[in-house]
Amino acid sequence: MKRVANIAVLVSGGGTNLQALIDAETSGILKNGKIVLVISNNPEAYALTRAEKAGIPCRVVTKKEYGREGAEQKMISILEENKIDLIILAGFMSILSENFTKRYERRIINVHPSLIPSFCGEGFYGLKVHEAALKKGVKVTGATVHFVNEIPDGGEIIMQKAVEIEEGDTPEVLQERVMRKAEWIILPMSAEKVSAQIIEKEQR
Ligand code: GAR
């Protein structure tokens, strides 16, 4: 059987980006990688239900149970146990320490709901990003997939896609459009691109 990259998806909430990745695997857009594990830092995340429905093993690791450092250590041991090659942050609302990101250099990717370097960094997550974009009055926003390093939203950019802002947009309406027209497209494409690079590098 062809070797594929083992992917772990880290989530905190609704999991629509996780769903896009699951669907991409089914449709064959994601073929050099396979989602073998979902980790949530929120036991209530609907993303867990999505993973269960798709038959993907799930783990819950909370700071409440393990503490900040302990939670990362726990995640590292789960990731190693499962021989994970690529970690995808898909709406994972926690900043990873330098100790964690250094360990997985160019092996962690994140989707962010703006065109980095606009509206990014600490404090910019979820709806807050769209609120800030509307407040500023930008006419174009979008989404970015990037490698994760020790600087929040500061790693190398892999893909970006622009989305127009429309008159009367609310943060919720804009969030849905950015997801549908950008995130759910470029996250699976980036997952495939990086997975293919990991496999290709091994075969060299
Ligand atoms: C997405 O819009 C994602 O880009 C954003 O949170 C949402 C999660 O939705 N992530 C960040 O803001 C990270 N800085 P989902 O749980 O439905 O995928």
Side-chain angles (χ1 to χ4, degrees):
M1 227 169 80
K2 190 183 176 303
R3 153 97 167 111
V4 293
N6 288 330
I7 298 174
V9 184
L10 273 52
V11 296
S12 301
T16 64
N17 279 289
L18 167 66
Q19 191 65 54
L21 290 163
I22 294 170
D23 295 346
E25 210 183 296
T26 308
S27 70
I29 291 170
L30 177 56
K31 53 179 188 292
N32 280 286
K34 181 177 163 54
I35 308 162
V36 297
L37 179 69
V38 168
I39 302 179
S40 176
N41 62 355
N42 169 14
E44 309 291 326
Y46 184 68
L48 289 168
T49 306
R50 294 180 190 273
E52 271 159 27
K53 281 189 182 158
I56 303 165
C58 302
R59 304 291 291 267
V60 174
V61 180
T62 63
K63 282 184 191 162
K64 197 172 163 201
E65 185 175 357
Y66 295 97
R68 186 179 142 73
E69 260 181 51
E72 285 197 352
Q73 279 311 319
K74 182 71 189 167
M75 284 203 289
I76 289 169
S77 70
I78 295 171
L79 294 166
E80 305 223 315
E81 234 169 70
N82 287 274
K83 301 196 165 37
I84 296 302
D85 300 297
L86 175 63
I87 300 164
I88 302 181
L89 310 185
F92 184 65
M93 301 304 186
S94 176
I95 292 176
L96 296 165
S97 75
E98 186 167 353
N99 173 50
F100 190 99
T101 58
K102 279 253 155 68
R103 197 177 183 111
Y104 295 102
E105 215 168 324
R106 295 180 76 81
R107 294 296 181 112
I108 314 173
I109 68 173
N110 177 47
V111 61
H112 182 77
S114 75
L115 293 174
I116 290 174
S118 288
F119 314 117
C120 64
E122 231 167 317
F124 286 101
Y125 57 87
L127 267 185
K128 286 184 193 287
V129 178
H130 304 293
E131 280 162 10
L134 290 175
K135 193 168 173 207
K136 184 67 193 176
V138 293
K139 303 300 175 208
V140 176
T141 184
T144 303
V145 178
H146 61 92
F147 284 110
V148 173
N149 65 9
E150 69 284 2
I151 304 157
D153 298 324
E156 187 186 312
I157 291 171
I158 301 165
M159 281 186 200
Q160 288 189 305
K161 196 165 187 296
V163 175
E164 303 254 332
I165 287 176
E166 293 176 16
E167 202 141 316
D169 270 352
T170 61
E172 290 79 6
V173 166
L174 182 57
Q175 178 180 55
E176 195 277 333
R177 187 180 315 116
V178 168
M179 285 175 156
R180 181 166 40 83
K181 292 195 165 179
E183 296 184 49
W184 301 340
I185 299 166
I186 64 172
L187 184 61
M189 283 173 70
S190 303
E192 170 56 18
K193 185 178 178 190
V194 177
S195 297
Q197 281 168 358
I198 290 171
I199 300 300
E200 195 210 329
K201 223 174 172 179
E202 274 181 6
Q203 287 162 354
R204 248 187 261 148

